[in-house]
């Protein structure tokens, strides 16, 4: 399977609504679509002459061409919400006004009677408002499509409020993302669209809440559309053309709508005559009345008509959900219609197709059943009374009892029947070589296009080479894993047998949750909804099964440290982490972690020894690998990062293994340093054009190379508006917002070298609607020569290192440093005074109790001088509003008699002891970490620690000396020793003076041995 790359040159900048001016322009181009969202015959159409069939895939429409060898090429059509069509088509019912004004204009322009224009019943409740701007700009899912008879025009209808009808050109060189016209007259979803056989008219049927049928005139050359007629039409499920007449059918409803004014055939039909006169004399610029007439159902009054196919300009075959095959005959002469039941099958019919070359009509429906009926036998008029149970008028049949899914849509492409079932599987059957005598040979060849049959949960890029020789794999909820090439070719399939739920429940059965690959596709690990962990080899054989959790398994992480050392970690809703070691073909449990108090949603290995886990309890736990004495291993918590909101997903930044990016439920993107546990930066995931913020899931950080520069991108999936978003990692500005699947489940980015040798970036997105989309990330330079002329802003300006975003400087003095300054104050050294005049006086050294009186006098005098200086400074100031003045000098207090000094000293002593205990505890913890950790301290941290320890030791050694000096000054018990030391000093001075006198007399005399004589005495 190959694909056409859409031309996106007309609107390259619509996906980039960012205020940040970048040197590159980014866009996503849809390259390949795998799977479909077709759920009814309305969302499928085929053109047998040009070997083409069209089907829906989320917000895109895939036009596939089939050759004789069953090779399929794709052409993908898709329009953004704000796309401007080539031909502007103003809306008549919904102009660019408020919703209430649009509704009033619509009701005023119609009559209540459905026979005279598009009358809206006033008794019906008014529709709801379109909602917020974010919802109104959201891309709707494509629900119905129609190809013109020449295959040149393609009409696409959307669902939701204020839907669009997009008209594309299906030519070879057409624009794939620029529609020719956009029609916006429907207020709610569009259920069905149909081109007339001459391609001049397009009819659109609104949803149940819309209830209107519109007829548009289409210009075949330009594709411009104009509203021609309208009417109210309820209980209709589909519409189809039979010649120049339109048939609407549904629940108890078959109605024929005719074009133009036709004269009445009989005088008794006065109503048609009145309608003709009104249409001739009408000069209103608005749409005309679209007239229709109901068919008499008779015994089919309770039937639900599901499908219709035209066999001529006045005959058609209608089918019901009860298996009735009916013939509708339209008489243009007398303007009458007749509905008769001509056959019946044993299953509910959902789709029908006619094969005119072999004169067969094929019907399909419930339980995948397919049956062929002869066209001549059905086209002949037979009374419905005689064929009430005509179930044996089927000369040819091809029953497929093995296909359990219902067939929802069917078409023919030159002898090949294309079917789409309820599992969204497309199958091609060759119907050419069937023998008239052998009824079982009608289905001789069948090709089933590979796709997932249920919701696709994720995609992972594989390492090369691998066992399946593929480039990526995807997995779905039903236990299927498919291996793909980037071109859309399936290379392999693995089916995981899931255990049934106990008690069994069809509505809530077991589902696959996680599927991970290890190494080079050596083995896989899967986790399901029942908490069962499976080890699967590369051939898909289950080699080990373990009941790991009591509930859903949310994530699985695999770490391969070598052939003999493989770790598997799983987490679940039961708040536990299970750690296994792979031993041969078994998983051995070695640790269970119960640190979190809520569901653990994500786990990942940051490096070989670090494990991260995020939980709904708003925490991210960091664990390190530790080894025991018997070579056993365990992961011990080293840090807990607390968040303000619950984390949704997390990702590792390339080339920064210690930095993670976290998406939280409060619509924020946070950046954290794991080693320091410090928050670095955050921004809100918002759209600058609309201002709406979203919650991002499936977060991915990747670095791509553009020329000689490297650009870091942040990719995510928004479940709020179902979009794929790409942000600039450095600035947080949104670069791209695109809509693909109905609900996107995961996203992946891969860089590879294309066939031409140029590098390319591919984005793979998976959806819960069962589709896989492969996008091409195109980066164009906005300068002619980006390497020479464009300034490289990413190298010059790094917002993460900006001064405004940096941490503020801090220099907080430690207690040891403060004690040094306090000691200088206690010793009476001068220190710089504050510029504030009203600051308290300098603290004085506490005096002894023996000098209480002198100290009191000195304090009183100093305080009076200080107060006088204060009054002088107040006089020099500018006048201020009057305020109560408290005369501090009027009530002086003696510091020696104040009891607060003793209380303060006691509190300081207690604070000092508490600080010492805290420092001791911190030093013990630091010593344990230094002994157990393999990392070394940084240089500046080690120098700061050594300096603080040295200062602390110096203060501790000087503290006893100062205390001893104070004690000697104050204590009276050492007074005698002090007096004796003074006497010795005086004797020494006397001896020196005598020696100096002897020298001055002219000779050095021998000193008298006074001490000796005194000693002898």
């Amino acid at each position: 399977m190959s694909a056409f790359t859409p031309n996106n040159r007309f609107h390259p900048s619509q996906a980039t609504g960012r205020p940040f001016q970048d040197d590159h322009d980014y866009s996503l181009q849809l390259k390949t679509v795998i799977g479909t969202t077709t759920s009814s015959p309305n969302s499928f159409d085929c053109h047998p002459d040009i070997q083409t069939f069209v089907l829906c895939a989320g917000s895109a429409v895939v036009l596939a061409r089939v050759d004789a060898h069953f090779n399929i090429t794709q052409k993908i059509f898709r329009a953004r919400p704000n796309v401007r069509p080539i031909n502007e088509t103003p809306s008549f019912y919904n102009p660019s006004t408020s919703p209430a004004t649009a509704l009033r204009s619509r009701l005023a322009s119609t009559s209540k009677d459905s026979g005279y224009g598009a009358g809206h019943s006033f008794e019906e409740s008014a529709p709801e408002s379109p909602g917020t701007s974010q919802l109104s700009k959201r891309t709707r899912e494509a629900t119905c499509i129609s190809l013109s008879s020449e295959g040149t025009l393609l009409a696409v209808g959307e669902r939701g409020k204020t839907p669009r009808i997009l008209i594309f050109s299906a030519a070879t060189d057409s624009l794939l993302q620029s529609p020719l016209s956009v029609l916006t007259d429907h207020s709610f979803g569009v259920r069905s669209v149909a081109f007339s056989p001459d391609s001049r008219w397009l009819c659109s049927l609104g949803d149940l809440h819309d209830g209107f049928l519109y007829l548009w005139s289409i210009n075949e050359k330009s594709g411009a559309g104009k509203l021609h007629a309208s009417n109210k039409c309820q209980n209709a499920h589909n519409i189809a053309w039979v010649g120049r007449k339109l048939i609407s059918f549904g629940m108890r409803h078959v109605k024929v709508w005719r074009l133009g004014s036709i004269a009445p055939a009989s005088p008794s039909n006065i109503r048609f005559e009145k309608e003709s006169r009104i249409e001739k004399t009408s000069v209103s610029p608005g749409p005309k009345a679209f007239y229709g007439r109901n068919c008499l159902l008779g015994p089919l009054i309770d039937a639900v008509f599901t499908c219709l196919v035209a066999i001529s300009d006045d005959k058609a075959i209608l089918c019901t959900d009860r298996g009735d095959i009916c013939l509708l005959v339209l008489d243009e002469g007398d303007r009458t219609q007749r509905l008769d039941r001509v056959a019946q099958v044993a299953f509910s019919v959902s789709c029908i197709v006619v094969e005119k070359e072999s004169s067969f009509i094929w019907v399909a429906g419930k339980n995948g059943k397919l049956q062929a009926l002869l066209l001549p036998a059905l086209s002949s008029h037979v009374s419905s009374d005689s064929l009430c149970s005509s179930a044996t008028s089927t000369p040819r049949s091809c029953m497929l009892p093995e296909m359990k899914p219902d067939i929802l849509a069917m078409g023919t492409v030159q002898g090949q029947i294309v079917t789409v079932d309820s599992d969204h599987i497309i199958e091609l059957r060759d119907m050419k070589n069937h023998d008239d005598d052998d009824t079982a040979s009608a289905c001789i060849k069948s090709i089933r296009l590979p796709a997932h049959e249920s919701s696709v949960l994720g995609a992972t890029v594989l390492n090369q080479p691998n066992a399946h020789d593929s480039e990526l794999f995807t997995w779905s909820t039903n236990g299927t894993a498919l291996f793909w090439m980037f071109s859309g070719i399936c290379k392999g399939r693995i089916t995981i047998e899931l255990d049934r739920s106990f008690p069994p429940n069809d509505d809530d059965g077991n589902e696959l949750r996680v599927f991970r690959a290890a190494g080079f596709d050596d083995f896989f690990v899967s986790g399901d909804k029942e908490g069962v962990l499976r080890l699967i080899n590369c051939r898909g054989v289950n080699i080990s099964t373990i009941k790991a959790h009591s509930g859903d398994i949310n994530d699985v992480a695999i770490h391969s440290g070598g052939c003999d050392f493989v770790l598997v970690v799983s987490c679940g809703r039961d708040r536990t982490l299970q750690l296994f070691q792979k031993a041969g073909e078994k998983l051995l449990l070695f640790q269970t972690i119960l640190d979190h108090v809520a569901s653990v949603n994500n786990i990942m290995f940051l490096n070989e020894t670090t494990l991260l886990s995020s939980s709904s309890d708003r925490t991210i736990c960091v664990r390190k690998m530790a080894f025991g004495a018997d070579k056993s291993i365990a992961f011990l918590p080293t840090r807990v990062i607390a968040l303000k909101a619950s984390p949704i997903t997390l990702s590792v930044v390339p080339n920064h293994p210690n930095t993670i990016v976290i998406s939280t439920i409060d619509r924020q993107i946070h950046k954290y340093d794991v080693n320091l546990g410090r928050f670095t930066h955050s921004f809100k995931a918002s759209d600058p054009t609309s201002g709406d913020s979203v919650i991002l899931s499936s977060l991915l950080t990747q670095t791509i190379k553009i020329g000689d520069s490297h650009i870091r991108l942040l990719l995510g999936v928004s479940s709020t508006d179902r979009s794929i978003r790409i942000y600039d990692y450095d600035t947080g500005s949104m670069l791209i917002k695109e809509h693909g699947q109905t609900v996107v489940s995961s996203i992946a980015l891969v860089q590879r070298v294309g066939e031409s040798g140029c590098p390319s970036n591919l984005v793979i997105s998976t959806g819960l609607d069962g589709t896989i989309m492969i996008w091409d990330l195109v980066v164009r330079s906005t300068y002619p020569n980006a390497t020479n002329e464009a300034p490289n802003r990413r190298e010059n300006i790094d917002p993460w290192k900006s001064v405004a975003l940096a941490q503020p400087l801090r220099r907080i003095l430690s207690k040891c440093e403060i004690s040094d300054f306090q000691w200088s104050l206690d010793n009476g050294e001068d220190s710089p005074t504050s510029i504030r005049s009203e600051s308290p006086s300098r603290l004085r050294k506490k005096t002894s109790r023996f000098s209480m009186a002198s100290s009191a006098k000195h304090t009183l005098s100093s305080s009076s001088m200080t107060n006088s200086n204060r009054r002088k400074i107040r006089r020099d100031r500018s006048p201020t509003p009057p305020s109560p003045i408290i005369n501090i000098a009027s009530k002086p207090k003696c510091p020696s008699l104040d009891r607060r000094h003793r209380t303060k000293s006691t509190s300081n002593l207690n604070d000092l002891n508490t600080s010492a205990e805290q420092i001791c505890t911190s030093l013990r913890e630091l010593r344990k970490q230094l002994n157990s950790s393999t990392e070394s301290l940084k240089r500046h941290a080690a120098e700061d620690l050594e300096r603080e320890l040295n200062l602390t030791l110096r203060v501790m050694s000087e503290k006893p000396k100062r205390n001893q000096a104070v004690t000697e000054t104050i204590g009276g018990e050492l007074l005698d020793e002090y007096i004796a030391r003074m006497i010795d000093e005086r004797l020494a001075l006397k001896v020196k003076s005598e020696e100096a006198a002897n020298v001055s007399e002219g000779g050095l005399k021998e000193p008298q041995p006074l001490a000796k004589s005194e000693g002898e005495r």
Side-chain angles (χ1 to χ4, degrees):
M1 178 182 294
S2 61
F4 294 140
T5 302
N7 190 351
N8 197 25
R9 65 178 182 272
F10 259 64
H11 303 282
S13 61
Q14 289 182 358
T16 60
R18 62 189 188 280
F20 178 71
Q21 299 295 328
D22 199 358
D23 301 337
H24 301 88
D25 189 22
Y26 304 84
S27 64
L28 280 177
Q29 297 179 358
L30 188 56
K31 182 179 179 181
T32 306
V33 175
I34 302 173
T36 179
T37 56
T38 298
S39 58
S40 67
N42 303 338
S43 54
F44 180 87
D45 198 5
C46 66
H47 201 296
D49 298 333
I50 60 176
Q51 305 179 8
T52 301
F53 66 90
V54 189
L55 43 82
C56 298
S59 62
V61 175
V62 181
L63 189 147
R65 298 183 185 275
V66 185
D67 59 8
H69 302 285
F70 291 90
N71 296 323
I72 299 177
T73 57
Q74 292 184 358
K75 196 174 182 181
I76 304 171
F77 296 88
R78 187 176 60 91
R80 295 189 179 95
N82 54 352
V83 67
R84 295 183 64 88
I86 297 177
N87 303 309
E88 294 288 344
T89 304
S91 176
F92 180 78
Y93 290 116
N94 294 327
S96 56
T97 55
S98 62
T101 306
L103 177 61
R104 288 195 296 268
S105 63
R106 179 174 180 176
L107 296 179
S109 62
T110 58
S111 174
K112 185 176 180 180
D113 189 1
S114 61
Y116 292 90
H120 194 287
S121 176
F122 289 93
E123 298 177 358
E124 185 179 355
S125 59
E128 298 177 359
S129 61
T132 61
S133 60
Q134 178 184 1
L135 298 178
S136 62
K137 294 181 180 180
R138 180 185 301 174
T139 299
R140 275 83 174 180
E141 177 187 2
T143 56
C144 52
I145 51 181
S146 177
L147 264 177
S148 61
S149 58
E150 293 84 4
T152 57
L153 295 178
L154 173 64
V156 181
E158 298 176 341
R159 72 169 50 173
K161 298 178 181 179
T162 61
R164 302 177 299 176
I165 299 176
L166 308 170
I167 301 178
F168 292 93
S169 174
T172 304
D173 55 348
S174 60
L175 302 176
L176 302 180
Q177 296 192 12
S178 297
L180 301 177
S181 300
V182 177
L183 311 177
T184 58
D185 277 86
H186 283 282
S187 297
F188 290 89
V190 182
R191 176 170 288 186
S192 179
V193 291
F195 274 107
S196 62
D198 56 359
S199 302
R200 293 178 55 193
W201 305 96
L202 174 66
C203 189
S204 61
L205 176 65
D207 205 349
L208 177 64
H209 299 285
D210 185 272
F212 275 84
L213 183 71
Y214 291 147
L215 181 66
W216 310 83
S217 61
I218 304 298
N219 190 331
E220 300 179 19
K221 296 182 179 180
S222 63
K226 181 181 179 181
L227 184 60
H228 179 75
S230 63
N231 205 331
K232 188 174 178 61
C233 182
Q234 292 183 340
N235 298 330
H237 298 164
N238 203 346
I239 53 177
W241 288 88
V242 180
R244 287 181 56 84
K245 296 163 285 293
L246 181 72
I247 312 299
S248 63
F249 53 92
M251 184 176 61
R252 303 176 183 178
H253 173 87
V254 176
K255 195 169 186 177
V256 182
W257 309 81
R258 288 178 169 83
L259 295 176
S261 58
I262 302 175
S266 60
S268 59
N269 199 343
I270 304 175
R271 182 175 181 179
F272 289 105
E273 184 178 7
K274 185 178 179 181
E275 292 170 357
S276 300
R277 291 198 303 267
I278 294 176
E279 185 174 356
K280 291 179 181 179
T281 59
S282 178
V283 292
S284 175
K288 300 178 181 180
F290 197 12
Y291 306 120
R293 187 176 182 183
N294 292 318
C295 293
L296 298 177
L297 302 181
L300 302 173
I301 188 63
D302 294 331
V304 177
F305 296 90
T306 56
C307 53
L308 180 146
V309 63
I311 57 178
S312 65
D313 291 343
D314 56 358
K315 290 183 180 181
I317 301 295
L318 268 167
C319 301
T320 67
D321 60 344
R322 299 184 301 186
D324 300 317
I325 311 296
C326 306
L327 177 64
L328 177 64
V329 181
L330 306 175
D331 192 349
E332 192 66 27
D334 56 357
R335 301 182 66 182
T336 59
Q337 55 263 3
R338 183 175 179 180
L339 183 65
D340 297 323
R341 182 170 54 185
V342 296
Q344 188 174 4
V345 294
F347 57 89
S348 176
V349 180
S350 59
C351 52
I352 183 173
V353 68
V354 59
E355 190 179 1
K356 295 183 179 180
E357 296 180 357
S358 58
S359 300
F360 279 95
I361 288 182
W362 294 86
V363 293
K366 195 72 174 177
N367 295 327
K369 295 181 179 180
L370 184 67
Q371 188 166 337
L373 305 174
L374 280 175
L375 181 59
L378 298 177
S379 59
S380 61
H381 179 69
V382 184
S383 175
S384 60
D385 298 334
S386 61
L387 291 176
C388 292
S389 61
S390 177
T392 60
S393 61
T394 57
R396 183 172 303 279
S397 63
C398 179
M399 305 299 296
L400 302 176
E402 298 180 358
M403 293 182 61
K404 295 181 180 180
D406 301 340
I407 298 179
L408 303 178
M410 183 170 54
T412 60
V413 181
Q414 288 192 358
Q416 301 174 1
I417 291 185
V418 184
T419 61
V420 180
D421 58 22
S422 57
D423 287 341
H424 306 291
I425 298 299
I426 306 171
E427 191 168 357
L428 280 72
R429 300 183 178 92
D430 190 1
M431 299 294 180
K432 289 183 178 180
N433 302 322
H434 52 75
D435 193 1
D436 294 338
D437 298 332
D438 186 10
T439 59
S441 64
C443 302
I444 62 172
K445 187 177 181 180
S446 175
I447 293 181
R448 186 184 177 96
L449 300 184
H452 285 281
E453 302 175 0
S454 59
S455 300
V456 186
L457 298 182
T460 303
V461 180
L462 291 172
N463 298 323
Q464 301 294 331
N466 53 72
H468 292 85
D469 194 18
S470 58
E471 295 175 327
L472 76 151
F473 71 90
T474 57
W475 71 92
S476 58
T477 56
N478 64 346
T480 303
L482 299 179
F483 297 83
W484 306 91
M485 302 296 289
F486 291 131
S487 59
I489 300 175
C490 185
K491 303 291 289 186
R493 180 188 183 99
I494 289 179
T495 302
I496 304 168
E497 297 181 359
L498 302 177
D499 297 335
R500 294 184 178 180
S501 303
F502 293 99
N505 189 355
D506 296 337
D507 298 334
D508 192 15
N510 193 8
E511 296 178 353
L512 182 66
R513 294 297 190 189
V514 186
F515 191 75
R516 297 283 187 264
F520 290 88
D521 197 10
D522 298 331
F523 67 92
F524 302 91
V525 178
S526 67
D528 57 19
K529 191 177 180 180
E530 297 297 326
V532 178
L533 200 66
R534 290 179 174 85
L535 185 64
I536 304 170
N537 60 12
C538 59
R539 297 183 300 274
V541 180
N542 187 8
I543 58 180
S544 179
T545 303
I546 296 175
K547 178 69 173 179
H549 298 269
S550 60
D552 296 9
I553 295 180
N554 294 331
D555 199 3
V556 172
I558 302 175
H559 171 64
S560 298
C563 299
D564 300 333
F565 185 75
V566 178
L567 300 180
V568 178
V569 184
S570 63
C571 64
R573 292 185 60 187
D574 57 357
R575 303 174 296 175
T576 61
L577 275 77
Q578 298 281 56
L579 282 73
F580 301 90
Q581 185 174 2
K582 184 176 179 295
E585 296 184 352
K586 294 183 180 180
L587 293 177
L588 301 179
L589 178 66
F590 67 88
Q591 187 179 3
T592 299
I593 300 176
L594 295 170
D595 292 342
H596 294 284
V597 296
S599 174
V600 185
N601 301 323
N602 298 278
I603 53 174
M604 63 183 304
F605 282 97
L606 190 64
N607 48 45
E608 296 180 356
T609 59
T610 306
L611 178 65
L612 302 181
S613 63
S614 65
S615 173
S616 299
D617 59 1
R618 300 181 293 178
T619 60
I620 295 178
C621 189
V622 183
R623 299 176 178 86
K624 293 285 186 179
M625 182 187 296
F627 296 91
D630 54 350
K631 296 183 179 181
S632 60
I633 59 175
F635 281 86
L636 304 180
T638 59
R639 189 181 302 277
V640 176
I641 300 175
L643 305 174
K644 295 182 179 180
S646 299
I648 301 296
T649 182
L650 65 156
S651 174
V652 181
V653 180
N655 302 326
H656 294 79
N658 296 324
T659 304
I660 60 174
V661 181
I662 308 167
S663 173
T664 56
I665 202 172
D666 59 351
R667 309 187 181 191
Q668 296 280 347
I669 305 297
H670 304 279
K671 178 183 175 184
Y672 276 85
D673 191 329
V674 176
N675 286 344
L676 303 178
R678 187 178 62 184
F679 164 78
T680 305
H681 186 66
S682 68
F683 68 93
K684 181 170 287 188
S686 60
D687 186 354
T689 57
S690 62
D692 299 326
S693 57
V694 298
I695 301 174
L696 288 185
S697 60
S698 185
L699 206 61
L700 178 65
T701 307
Q702 193 74 23
T703 302
I704 62 175
K705 185 177 181 181
I706 305 298
D708 296 334
S709 61
H710 291 78
I711 302 175
R712 289 186 294 183
L713 301 179
L714 186 65
L715 293 82
V717 174
S718 169
S719 58
T720 308
D721 61 350
R722 302 173 294 180
S723 64
I724 301 171
R725 298 195 173 205
I726 299 179
Y727 290 85
D728 192 313
Y729 174 81
D730 296 327
T731 62
S733 60
M734 191 182 70
L735 304 177
I736 302 175
K737 182 180 71 172
E738 288 290 352
H739 297 81
Q741 287 94 344
T742 306
V743 179
V744 186
S745 58
S746 67
I747 192 172
L749 176 63
V750 61
Q751 300 182 22
R752 70 186 190 103
V753 179
E755 298 177 355
S756 61
C758 300
S760 61
N761 302 296
L762 298 180
V763 177
I764 300 98
S765 63
T766 61
L768 298 182
D769 54 5
T771 60
I772 304 169
M773 294 187 178
I774 301 177
W775 309 73
D776 190 7
L777 177 58
V778 180
V779 183
R780 301 184 181 93
S781 176
T782 56
Y783 292 88
N785 190 0
T787 57
N788 298 331
E789 299 180 7
N792 193 354
R793 294 184 176 90
R794 300 182 185 274
E795 295 180 358
N796 298 332
I797 300 175
D798 190 358
W800 297 108
K801 298 180 180 179
S802 175
V803 178
L805 298 178
Q807 295 293 334
L809 295 178
R810 295 289 187 270
R811 179 65 174 94
I812 301 175
L813 299 180
S814 63
K815 292 188 176 181
C816 295
E817 295 173 339
I818 294 175
S819 63
D820 293 341
F821 291 104
Q822 185 67 34
W823 178 62
S824 64
L825 291 178
D826 293 341
N827 290 339
E829 298 178 2
D830 294 335
S831 60
T833 58
S834 174
I835 60 175
R836 295 179 56 184
S837 59
E838 295 185 358
S839 59
S841 58
R842 185 187 306 172
L843 295 176
R844 297 184 59 83
K845 183 178 178 180
K846 186 177 178 181
T847 57
S848 174
R849 54 188 177 89
F850 297 101
S851 59
M852 183 180 299
S854 61
S855 177
K857 293 180 181 179
H858 180 75
T859 303
L860 290 175
S861 61
S862 62
S863 62
S864 61
M865 293 175 62
T866 303
N867 291 331
S868 62
N869 293 333
R870 290 178 183 176
R871 287 193 297 270
K872 182 178 179 181
I873 294 175
R874 289 194 186 100
R875 287 194 300 268
D876 297 337
R877 290 181 179 176
S878 60
T880 56
S883 60
I885 301 176
I886 301 175
N887 190 3
I888 303 176
S890 61
K891 296 181 180 180
K893 291 186 179 181
C894 182
S896 61
L897 299 177
D898 194 356
R899 298 181 180 179
R900 288 179 296 177
H901 289 283
R902 291 189 294 271
T903 307
K904 185 175 181 181
S905 61
T906 306
S907 61
N908 291 336
L909 183 60
N910 295 332
D911 294 341
L912 184 62
N913 295 330
T914 305
S915 300
E917 293 177 357
Q918 293 177 356
I919 292 173
C920 293
T921 305
S922 302
L923 289 176
R924 291 193 201 97
E925 296 294 335
L926 178 61
R927 186 171 64 255
K928 292 180 181 179
Q929 292 181 5
L930 291 175
N931 293 331
S932 61
S933 176
T934 57
E935 299 180 358
S936 59
L937 287 176
K938 296 182 179 180
R939 182 177 180 181
H940 65 88
E943 291 177 355
D944 293 344
L945 180 61
E946 184 178 359
R947 183 175 64 256
E948 294 296 336
L949 291 177
N950 292 333
L951 291 174
T952 304
L953 292 175
R954 190 182 69 179
V955 172
M956 291 180 62
S957 60
E958 293 177 355
K959 186 72 174 179
K961 296 180 180 179
R962 292 199 302 267
N963 294 337
Q964 184 177 1
V966 172
T967 305
E968 290 176 354
T969 305
I970 299 175
E973 298 178 355
L974 302 179
L975 185 58
D976 297 336
E977 184 179 357
Y978 177 75
I979 294 173
R981 188 166 58 251
M982 293 292 294
I983 294 173
D984 293 339
E985 291 177 357
R986 289 181 176 276
L987 291 176
L989 291 175
K990 185 177 181 180
V991 171
K992 289 182 180 180
S993 61
E994 291 178 358
E995 291 178 353
N998 294 333
V999 171
S1000 60
E1001 290 177 357
L1004 182 62
K1005 297 181 180 180
E1006 183 179 355
Q1008 297 178 2
L1010 298 177
K1012 182 177 180 181
S1013 61
E1014 290 177 0
E1016 291 177 353
R1017 292 177 184 177

